Amino acid sequence: MAFAVVNGARLAWQQLGEGPDLVMVHGLAANRAFWFAQATALADRCRVTLFDLRGHGYSEATDAGYSATALGRDILGLMDALGIARAALAAHSYGGAAALEAAVAAPARVTHLALFDARIQSLQPQMRLSDLPEISPYERAVAEASSRAYGYDWQREDQVGFRFLEAAARLRVDRLDTGLRDPFTPFGEGRGAARAAKQWLRLLDHGSIRQELVRAGAAAEDIARLPMPALLMYARDSRCLPSGRALRKLLEQARYLEVAGGH
């Protein structure tokens, strides 16, 4: 692991392998370990760069800089710091929104773009519990427990993805265990669950991240001008699916896949 100062934040990064450059970007409340197994498998074909988004993992937390647009600038800034002229970007969830912003800002520097279940705020400004006909047992348990403990009104919530991460983190820190686990929630299980939950809540409770997360980012007409080959992979049981279907219409060159499972 090494560090680079990018746009005023000290970011942790590492590289594996040799070959064409691939930068992999994780989502909110996760860290670069999210991609480690895939990066190891690709290291015989690519030079893979993994890094922790600002405020995540071992990267520095700042008061601001968490909008998808700002994190997109961090991706390009890290490429500058590491001497990467052009790279493929592969990114999950909110990291996908950041990767898309990087591609819009500097399309000549992105050779390929792969987005995995990324919600794009400008294309999908709201996300509600009722967007899916059924919710998973884990989601139901977290919703019920957080309603009792914190008074969350899930039926009126229009940013349910962000709120769900907060609720799961608070339940973990307050030891109000639901008795259920979810491998897609960063603090749902594992040895680092409590530590990741505390780190996420510190971010939410300080600075401007709550306001930044809902900023719109790139407009549809800017996204439609992207020239690079793209892969869009979305889960059929994900609330991010409207973003995937909207991107499919905008990016005619993209390969689009809907797969079984959740986020």
Side-chain angles (χ1 to χ4, degrees):
M1 180 177 64
F3 293 90
V5 177
V6 176
N7 299 324
R10 189 169 181 259
L11 303 185
W13 62 274
Q14 67 184 112
Q15 286 181 332
L16 298 84
E18 298 291 338
D21 279 296
L22 168 64
V23 179
M24 306 187 81
V25 191
H26 66 80
L28 291 177
N31 55 58
R32 69 185 186 280
F34 178 88
W35 284 119
F36 192 77
Q38 290 83 0
T40 301
L42 292 167
D44 62 342
R45 286 172 280 173
C46 305
R47 181 171 68 168
V48 184
T49 299
L50 305 177
F51 73 103
D52 294 331
L53 294 172
R54 65 171 63 211
H56 294 67
Y58 289 95
S59 288
E60 180 183 4
T62 55
D63 289 339
Y66 299 97
S67 70
T69 303
L71 293 179
R73 289 194 293 266
D74 282 354
I75 295 170
L76 296 172
L78 182 64
M79 289 171 60
D80 289 339
L82 302 183
I84 300 173
R86 303 177 75 228
L89 302 182
H92 174 251
S93 194
Y94 196 74
L100 182 66
E101 293 293 321
V104 169
R109 301 191 64 184
V110 179
T111 61
H112 301 77
L113 181 65
L115 305 181
F116 302 98
D117 221 58
R119 177 193 175 191
I120 308 303
Q121 199 77 24
S122 62
L123 306 179
Q124 187 183 355
Q126 294 186 337
M127 181 181 285
R128 297 183 179 275
L129 200 67
S130 58
D131 289 346
L132 292 178
E134 296 183 7
I135 65 175
S136 71
Y138 179 70
E139 284 184 315
R140 187 177 303 280
V142 168
E144 291 175 354
S146 60
S147 294
R148 291 193 301 268
Y150 314 119
Y152 292 163
D153 186 348
W154 290 96
Q155 299 306 317
R156 299 182 64 181
E157 178 61 56
D158 64 2
Q159 299 294 337
V160 70
F162 301 139
R163 180 67 77 184
F164 182 80
L165 276 178
E166 178 180 0
R170 293 201 185 281
L171 290 170
R172 170 64 70 175
V173 170
D174 293 341
R175 299 183 179 180
L176 300 174
D177 200 336
T178 64
L180 298 175
R181 296 290 180 266
D182 178 15
F184 301 108
T185 301
F187 14 82
E189 61 181 358
R191 291 179 298 175
R195 182 174 65 250
K198 290 176 182 178
Q199 185 175 20
W200 179 239
L201 292 178
R202 281 196 297 269
L203 275 181
L204 288 180
D205 293 339
H206 298 86
S208 60
I209 185 171
R210 291 180 185 273
Q211 293 75 34
E212 292 189 75
L213 290 177
V214 296
R215 289 182 186 166
E221 56 268 27
D222 297 320
I223 296 170
R225 285 194 288 267
L226 290 177
M228 71 286 297
L231 169 65
L232 308 172
M233 183 177 289
Y234 281 77
R236 298 188 191 100
D237 296 327
S238 170
R239 290 187 182 83
C240 298
L241 195 56
S243 289
R245 291 175 175 174
L247 286 171
R248 182 185 192 180
K249 294 179 180 178
L250 293 172
L251 299 175
E252 295 182 356
Q253 80 278 22
R255 181 186 180 195
Y256 179 80
L257 297 174
E258 287 186 13
V259 298
H263 185 61

